[in-house]
Amino acid sequence: MEVYNCTESADTLAAKFEKYLRYFRLKSKNSRGHESPVWRTQYPSTGREGHPPVAVVFNPGARTGPQAMKNRMNTVMELTRLVWSGSYHGAGGGYGAEERDGYYDYAIPLLFTTLDRLQTSGPCEAVWWRCGHGQWETLPDALANPADHDAWYARDEQRRRQRDEERERQHQEGAAERERWAQEPDPDPEPEPVPPCERCRGPITGPLGYDLESAPTEDGRHCPSCRTDLHQQYPTLRQAVFGRRSRSK
């Protein structure tokens, strides 16, 4: 925790957080040769991912007015943007997702408050302003980061569950559709096609509206029109002597 009494410039205060960042990135090896951050040997585990938070208590005293204090806080926040914003990792949408998603890491949670807020409301109230959140929050809310890896992983798990549920729904719908088709009776076989007229290759039943009563008897080979034409043709000598013979089917 830093207590800022407004006796030094905003640049001097901002430079301190760059030193914090360099320190938090230092690593050492244990007896097994595994690397771990040095700061973890100095501070107990909080169960949170990333660097430990740093809080700044602004104490304007009688020298700095409310607006000047606000301007000083905004200046420090802009000068330390790279410290508290971290590095963005575009992880896509994660599990089978198409939308863009990702997370920030290696950021220092930088919290601002003022001495008068702490004295008036106490540290358990919404007196903490985390850089990047844009509002006064309680300490647990200020320490929560919806843009870190844990939050991204939770979103990815939610997407995975939704996709699993969608696949299960589609599987059940497909099974129900197959069951419905299995229970339907087989369709009647289609009738064999009627052969066309051997002479004109048209329908053997003749065109619509044709007077079938005036046509010769069906022979199974010609349409009514062709049967009429064939019947009206002059007979050959053989047909004249021996008569017309109907051809077998």
Side-chain angles (χ1 to χ4, degrees), residues 75 83 105 136 142 171 185 194:
T75 300
V83 174
D105 62 1
W136 294 102
H171 175 73
V194 179

Side-chain angles (χ1 to χ4, degrees), residues 5-249:
N5 293 318
C6 301
T7 57
E8 55 189 9
S9 67
D11 297 274
T12 302
L13 177 61
K16 294 182 179 181
F17 300 112
E18 295 180 359
K19 296 179 181 179
Y20 277 115
L21 185 60
R22 289 196 296 270
Y23 171 69
F24 290 153
R25 289 180 176 178
L26 290 177
K27 294 184 178 181
S28 63
K29 291 185 178 181
N30 57 21
S31 58
R32 297 183 178 181
H34 298 159
E35 286 190 344
S36 62
V38 173
W39 67 266
R40 291 189 182 275
T41 64
Q42 305 294 326
Y43 301 95
S45 176
T46 61
R48 294 176 51 258
E49 183 182 295
H51 299 321
V54 176
V56 181
V57 180
F58 287 81
N59 179 25
R63 297 176 298 277
T64 307
Q67 186 59 44
M69 185 77 269
K70 181 178 179 180
N71 294 339
R72 186 70 60 89
M73 295 172 69
N74 288 333
T75 300
V76 175
M77 184 168 60
E78 286 300 320
L79 292 174
T80 58
R81 180 174 293 275
L82 294 179
V83 174
W84 53 260
S85 62
S87 302
Y88 182 77
H89 295 264
Y95 185 85
E98 298 179 357
E99 68 271 17
R100 175 179 172 82
D101 196 3
Y103 59 91
Y104 288 87
D105 62 1
Y106 302 113
I108 296 179
L110 186 56
L111 279 62
F112 291 168
T113 189
T114 60
L115 184 60
D116 60 334
R117 285 179 178 271
L118 289 175
Q119 291 174 338
T120 302
S121 303
C124 297
E125 299 299 322
V127 298
W128 302 98
W129 183 283
R130 176 169 176 171
C131 297
H133 281 200
Q135 61 184 356
W136 294 102
E137 299 173 305
T138 62
L139 187 59
D141 290 339
L143 292 177
N145 184 8
D148 64 5
H149 183 271
D150 286 345
W152 172 85
Y153 184 78
R155 293 193 300 272
D156 191 47
E157 282 294 296
Q158 177 65 23
R159 286 189 289 262
R160 183 188 62 79
R161 288 192 294 269
Q162 291 175 350
R163 285 174 174 80
D164 289 345
E165 292 172 358
E166 178 64 18
R167 280 198 297 268
E168 179 62 23
R169 184 187 64 80
Q170 293 177 357
H171 175 73
Q172 293 179 357
E173 290 180 353
E177 183 70 10
R178 291 190 295 271
E179 180 67 19
R180 185 178 67 82
W181 280 105
Q183 293 177 357
E184 289 188 356
D186 294 334
D188 296 333
E190 295 183 359
E192 294 184 2
V194 179
C197 174
E198 293 181 1
R199 185 167 180 262
C200 68
R201 310 308 297 174
I204 200 169
T205 56
L208 294 176
Y210 191 87
D211 186 7
L212 299 179
E213 294 182 357
S214 62
T217 307
E218 294 183 6
D219 58 5
R221 298 169 55 218
H222 301 98
C223 65
S225 177
C226 290
R227 292 200 306 271
T228 301
D229 290 345
L230 292 173
H231 185 76
Q232 293 175 352
Q233 290 179 359
Y234 290 106
T236 64
L237 179 60
R238 180 183 179 85
Q239 291 173 340
V241 175
F242 298 101
R244 297 177 183 269
R245 292 190 304 171
S246 60
R247 300 174 63 180
S248 59
K249 297 182 180 179

